[in-house]
């Protein structure tokens, strides 16, 4: 069975700091990778996804993620965070049309 | 576009009663919808895959007789928690996969329903 690990449970940053959230997965076959964001009181939204091709994918709001197959990782990055990035971030892996989510990372940005 | 709604957003019920949660795709058709459960400070766990016109596919460990799923139309799936108990208290989230998207991995999520069983 596939699994997803997000090692950072809560990250606190100041505005303009750089962000990197870790995501590792375990699965032996072909997977598709996602990052979702959940702003306070809102539903899950897709930030970006990787299916194939260029392992560096760019998403909305200045986020990007890099797929490193050898490390089974798909870390999320943003060079300069804003207060509005405060949210819960979920990494997810899909295989056989099923999504498996990590436990999420709560990001708090201090103005 | 691609909006998914859930109703109700919050429900409180007594132990032993049944609760129905609706999931609607507002501006698209979805043959396939998914039901997830999220415990506090934990991840979303897939409960079942709901397919219009056929029986739902449940994940291992999910009691199909307790969590009844009905996908009666291309825009509506319902989850009924039967004989609810306090341990069923949780946040239930649905998602829908638009029929017009060729990618099988694109899902749009509803806002969730918080169930509290007293």
């Amino acid at each position: 069975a596939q699994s997803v690990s997000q090692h950072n449970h809560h990250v606190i940053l100041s505005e303009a700091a750089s962000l990197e959230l870790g995501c590792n997965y375990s699965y032996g076959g072909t997977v598709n990778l996602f990052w979702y964001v959940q702003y306070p009181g809102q539903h899950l939204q897709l930030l970006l996804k990787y299916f194939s091709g260029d392992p560096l994918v760019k998403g909305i709001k200045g986020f990007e993620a890099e797929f490193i197959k050898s490390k089974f990782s798909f870390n999320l990055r943003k060079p300069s965070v804003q207060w509005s990035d405060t949210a819960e971030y979920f990494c997810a892996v899909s295989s056989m049309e099923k999504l498996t989510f990590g436990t999420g990372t709560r990001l708090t940005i201090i103005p | 576009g691609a909006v998914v709604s859930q109703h109700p957003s919050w429900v409180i019920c007594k132990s032993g009663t049944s609760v129905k949660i609706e999931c609607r795709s507002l501006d698209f058709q979805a043959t396939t919808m998914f039901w997830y459960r999220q415990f506090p400070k934990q991840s979303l766990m897939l409960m079942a895959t709901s397919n219009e016109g056929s029986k739902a596919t449940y994940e291992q460990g999910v009691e199909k007789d307790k969590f009844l799923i009905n996908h009666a139309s291309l825009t509506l799936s319902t989850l009924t928690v039967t004989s609810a108990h306090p341990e069923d208290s949780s946040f239930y989230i649905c998602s829908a996969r638009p029929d017009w998207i060729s990618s099988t991995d694109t899902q749009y999520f509803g806002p969730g329903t918080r169930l509290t069983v007293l």
Side-chain angles (χ1 to χ4, degrees), chain A residues 14-88:
Chain A
S14 298
E15 274 193 316
S18 64
L19 169 72
E20 180 160 3
L21 300 182
C23 173
N24 289 90
Y25 67 94
S26 70
Y27 183 68
T30 302
V31 295
N32 297 324
L33 299 156
F34 305 79
W35 275 98
Y36 284 89
V37 61
Q38 188 171 29
Y39 297 104
Q42 297 188 28
H43 57 273
L44 276 170
Q45 300 174 43
L46 181 66
L47 263 183
L48 48 79
K49 59 187 177 184
Y50 172 79
F51 284 2
S52 64
D54 189 344
L56 183 62
V57 292
K58 295 188 183 299
I60 60 172
K61 306 186 179 185
F63 286 91
E64 64 178 32
E66 184 176 12
F67 169 53
I68 303 179
K69 190 175 181 180
S70 60
K71 295 185 177 180
F72 296 90
S73 70
F74 190 56
N75 292 354
L76 181 71
R77 300 194 292 248
K78 185 171 184 177
S80 177
V81 294
Q82 301 172 312
W83 177 79
S84 58
D85 293 324
T86 295
E88 188 96 18

Side-chain angles (χ1 to χ4, degrees), chain A residues 94-107:
Chain A
S94 87
S95 182
M96 305 294 284
E97 302 184 356
K98 294 180 182 178
L99 276 175
T100 300
F101 286 86
T103 52
T105 297
R106 183 153 60 101
L107 176 64

Side-chain angles (χ1 to χ4, degrees), chain B residues 95-108:
Chain B
S95 71
R97 190 173 74 208
D99 289 347
W100 50 264
I101 289 184
S102 58
S103 165
T104 58
D105 284 329
T106 298
Q107 300 179 27
Y108 293 94

